[in-house]
């Protein structure tokens, strides 16, 4: 019996060793393994959380979502194709009397225009939605930089719009406006250190319409198709350049070009030759693109070209018997077909501009504002501008064919939409 008990105790010894020594080691190993798995899980959760924050932002209010430009897939959404929607909530983007820099020339309400519906149309692209414009977001992108509009009076119109769209977020002591012979310069000091400028060059190249006293359209235009460097010296150091040239090309089928030298008061007819506007337009845009290639670093400067701003000088173009031009129009053309309407836009000049911006090695963003603007017969200054410094008289209103301005645009108004679209590309793509 004692022998059996002894053998039993010996057989239990391995179990005791396991219980006393190996079991704690095993349990410790399990503990460490579980701790490691816990840490890995926490790390993965942390990593996933951060990735979700980057890819899918947390829930935001509708107002915040409207401000996010990355909701607009610019690579696949044609923001220039869409329709006009009446919006009394978000438009106008600013009030006329709150923009201290708005000139009397385009302040139509101040000049007596009785209707205001033209201020309240919002552009709705067909395939996506635009975020609500936020001047602070744009200025943040423009911090320490210069945005310059170059071209004719339509671009001056658009420059004034841009100034009004951003100036309200700047304290009064931190913004200045000055004019020189060729430029209008809006400076934002301190926080943003930003410049938004306009440079007068209606043909981009040198012309006799460059001096301030020759811009009323009464002088027969003469251009120097190969001479651009004088103007270009003022463009070189801008971070964003927005060009246009159109209205001055539409006056006649031919344009005078200076054979050689520079403009002088006593130039004779022998110094000029006439060129068809299409040949001249191609020459000028070729000179322009060559200048860009030689002087602009596309890694530092973003280039834009605005297509033609249309005119509305024949009411019969949109089937109206009211008035002779745009002087009585209070609503857009709302029957918006896919096919462009014909309000007299020179399609051949349009195609030349499209081809010029595509055929150069310098990346140029073509801002196709033409079709969307052709529907806005209601937006012109008409009788309510004062480009010459004087308002239209009662007697002059009896002659709209001569005095109604159906070229330029009231502000707030259509040029604000142009700038909304330009801002998308500045914020999102550049």
């Amino acid at each position: 019996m004692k022998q059996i008990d002894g053998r039993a105790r010996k057989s239990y010894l391995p179990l005791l060793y396991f219980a006393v020594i190996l079991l704690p080691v095993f349990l410790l190993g399990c503990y460490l393994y579980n701790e490691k798995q816990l840490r890995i899980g926490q790390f993965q959760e942390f990593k996933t959380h951060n990735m979700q924050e980057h890819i899918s932002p947390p829930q935001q209010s509708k107002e915040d979502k409207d401000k996010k430009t990355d909701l607009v897939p610019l690579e696949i959404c044609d923001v220039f194709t869409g329709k006009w929607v009446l919006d009394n909530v978000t438009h106008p983007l600013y009030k006329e009397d709150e923009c201290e820099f708005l000139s009397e020339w385009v302040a139509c309400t101040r000049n007596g225009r009785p209707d205001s519906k033209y201020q309240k149309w919002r552009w709705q692209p067909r395939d996506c939605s635009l975020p609500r414009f936020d001047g602070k977001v744009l200025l943040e992108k423009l911090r320490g930089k210069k945005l310059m509009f170059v071209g004719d009076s339509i671009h001056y119109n658009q420059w004034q719009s841009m100034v009004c769209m951003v100036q309200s977020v700047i304290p009064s002591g931190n913004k200045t406006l000055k004019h020189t012979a060729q430029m209008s310069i809006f400076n934002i000091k301190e926080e943003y250190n930003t410049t938004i400028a306009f440079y007068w060059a209606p043909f981009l190249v040198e012309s006799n319409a460059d001096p301030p006293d020759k811009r009323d359209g009464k002088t027969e235009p003469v251009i120097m198709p190969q001479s651009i460097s004088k103007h270009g010296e003022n463009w070189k150091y801008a971070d964003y350049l927005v060009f246009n040239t159109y209205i001055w090309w539409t006056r006649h089928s031919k344009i005078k070009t200076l054979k050689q030298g520079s403009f002088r008061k006593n130039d004779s007819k022998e110094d000029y030759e006439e060129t068809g506007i299409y040949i001249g337009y191609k020459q000028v845009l070729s000179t322009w693109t060559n200048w860009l290639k030689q002087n602009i670093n596309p890694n530092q400067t973003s280039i834009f070209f605005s297509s033609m701003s249309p005119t509305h000088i024949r009411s019969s173009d949109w089937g109206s018997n009211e008035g002779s031009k745009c002087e009585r129009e209070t609503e857009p053309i709302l029957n918006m077909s896919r096919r462009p309407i014909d309000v007299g836009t020179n399609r051949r000049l349009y195609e030349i501009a499209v081809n010029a911006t595509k055929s150069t090695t310098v990346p140029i963003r073509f801002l196709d504002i033409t079709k969307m603007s052709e529907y806005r017969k209601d937006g012109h200054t008409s009788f309510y501008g004062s480009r010459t410094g004087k308002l239209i008289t009662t007697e002059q209103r009896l002659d709209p064919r001569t005095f109604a301005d159906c070229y330029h645009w009231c502000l707030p108004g259509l040029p604000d939409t142009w700038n909304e679209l330009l801002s998308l590309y500045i914020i999102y793509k550049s």
Side-chain angles (χ1 to χ4, degrees):
M1 216 39 202
K2 291 182 179 178
Q3 289 179 345
I4 294 174
D5 291 341
R7 291 194 198 104
R9 283 195 296 268
K10 288 180 180 180
S11 65
Y12 294 148
L13 286 176
L15 295 175
L16 290 173
Y17 284 133
F18 177 81
V20 175
I21 299 175
L22 296 181
L23 183 59
V25 173
F26 174 78
L27 294 175
L28 177 62
C30 291
Y31 172 81
L32 294 175
Y33 176 83
N34 290 334
E35 185 72 8
K36 180 178 180 181
Q37 291 299 108
L38 178 61
R39 291 178 182 275
I40 290 173
Q42 288 175 336
F43 173 76
Q44 289 175 336
E45 182 182 1
F46 174 77
K47 183 178 179 182
T48 302
H49 178 68
N50 280 341
M51 289 178 65
Q52 288 173 340
E53 282 188 336
H54 178 70
I55 298 171
S56 303
Q59 292 296 316
Q60 297 170 306
S61 67
K62 184 178 185 301
E63 182 178 357
D64 288 338
K65 286 182 178 179
D66 287 343
K67 293 179 181 179
K68 288 190 68 59
T69 57
D70 58 1
L71 296 179
V72 184
L74 294 175
E75 297 89 347
I76 60 175
C77 178
D78 175 11
V79 295
F80 300 101
T81 298
K83 62 182 180 180
W84 290 103
V85 178
L86 188 63
D87 185 343
N88 292 307
V89 177
T90 66
H91 285 60
L93 298 177
Y94 55 89
K95 294 182 179 179
E96 180 184 297
D97 57 1
E98 293 176 354
C99 182
E100 58 186 293
F101 302 105
L102 188 63
S103 69
E104 189 178 53
W105 168 42
V106 291
C108 296
T109 299
R110 189 191 312 164
N111 294 337
R113 181 165 177 168
D115 63 305
S116 62
K117 196 173 181 180
Y118 68 91
Q119 301 178 356
K120 300 172 183 178
W121 293 94
R122 173 176 56 82
W123 181 247
Q124 175 59 58
R126 181 185 61 199
D127 301 322
C128 58
S129 294
L130 301 180
R132 187 170 181 175
F133 177 80
D134 189 331
K136 289 185 178 180
V137 174
L138 177 60
L139 288 177
E140 191 61 44
K141 186 68 177 182
L142 294 176
R143 183 186 294 275
K145 296 180 179 180
K146 177 186 285 189
L147 165 64
M148 180 180 287
F149 295 87
V150 179
D152 55 30
S153 55
I154 297 297
H155 247 23
Y156 182 72
N157 205 169
Q158 185 175 354
W159 168 80
Q160 283 204 58
S161 161
M162 180 62 85
V163 170
C164 287
M165 288 169 70
V166 302
Q167 66 87 30
S168 63
V169 303
I170 308 300
S172 58
N174 292 342
K175 48 191 173 183
T176 61
L177 179 66
K178 71 174 182 178
H179 300 280
T180 66
Q182 293 293 125
M183 295 183 69
S184 296
I185 306 164
F186 179 67
N187 277 319
I188 302 171
K189 304 175 183 177
E190 294 186 9
E191 182 180 358
Y192 294 105
N193 189 28
T194 297
T195 298
I196 301 175
F198 166 77
Y199 186 93
W200 172 264
F203 293 99
L204 300 184
V205 296
E206 289 185 57
S207 75
N208 66 340
D210 293 340
D213 61 343
K214 302 294 183 182
R215 300 175 186 176
D216 55 7
K218 296 179 181 179
T219 302
E220 185 73 16
V222 182
I223 65 173
M224 297 173 65
Q226 281 79 40
S227 298
I228 199 171
S229 57
K230 180 180 177 181
H231 290 327
E233 285 299 313
N234 298 278
W235 310 338
K236 280 184 177 181
Y237 305 108
D239 299 281
Y240 302 94
L241 285 166
V242 190
F243 295 92
N244 91 322
T245 177
Y246 174 64
I247 282 188
W248 286 69
W249 292 91
T250 63
R251 300 175 63 181
H252 305 289
S253 61
K254 293 185 177 182
I255 192 167
K256 290 181 178 179
T257 61
L258 187 65
K259 294 179 181 178
Q260 59 183 1
S262 58
F263 294 106
R264 301 181 301 273
K265 290 184 179 181
N266 58 350
D267 282 333
S268 64
K269 292 183 178 180
E270 289 74 22
D271 294 321
Y272 308 117
E273 62 183 10
E274 286 193 335
T275 303
I277 59 170
Y278 302 117
I279 295 174
Y281 200 64
K282 284 182 180 179
Q283 290 176 339
V284 165
L285 292 186
S286 176
T287 298
W288 169 65
T289 54
N290 286 334
W291 182 88
L292 291 175
K293 285 187 284 188
Q294 295 169 12
N295 294 275
I296 296 298
N297 180 351
N299 294 321
Q300 298 177 353
T301 303
S302 297
I303 308 296
F304 301 88
F305 187 90
S306 295
S307 69
M308 292 70 194
S309 169
T311 62
H312 294 88
I313 57 177
R314 295 186 303 269
S315 60
S316 58
D317 288 341
W318 52 90
S320 173
N321 296 321
E322 294 289 329
S324 59
K325 294 171 73 176
C326 68
E327 72 276 6
R328 296 186 182 179
E329 301 301 328
T330 59
E331 287 195 351
I333 300 170
L334 296 176
N335 181 21
M336 300 181 67
S337 62
R338 290 177 178 268
R339 190 176 177 182
I341 60 173
D342 184 7
V343 294
T345 305
N346 192 314
R347 299 291 169 186
R348 192 168 171 185
L349 289 180
Y350 174 93
E351 292 300 329
I352 292 171
V354 170
N355 292 333
T357 57
K358 287 182 177 179
S359 60
T360 179
T361 56
V362 178
I364 302 171
R365 172 67 62 180
F366 188 76
L367 301 173
D368 195 358
I369 63 168
T370 302
K371 182 178 178 181
M372 64 185 299
S373 303
E374 286 178 325
Y375 295 99
R376 293 304 308 274
K377 59 184 173 60
D378 59 317
H380 293 286
T381 53
S382 181
F383 291 142
Y384 305 102
S386 60
R387 193 174 175 214
T388 60
K390 297 180 180 179
L391 294 175
I392 302 296
T393 65
T394 303
E395 292 75 19
Q396 289 171 334
R397 292 190 184 197
L398 299 176
D399 184 11
R401 179 58 60 187
T402 301
F403 293 103
D405 182 353
C406 299
Y407 291 81
H408 302 96
W409 307 91
C410 296
L411 293 179
L414 174 63
D416 303 331
T417 300
W418 300 345
N419 282 325
E420 283 188 272
L421 300 178
L422 170 63
S423 298
L424 281 180
Y425 285 97
I426 292 176
I427 296 168
Y428 181 81
K429 296 291 289 183
S430 61

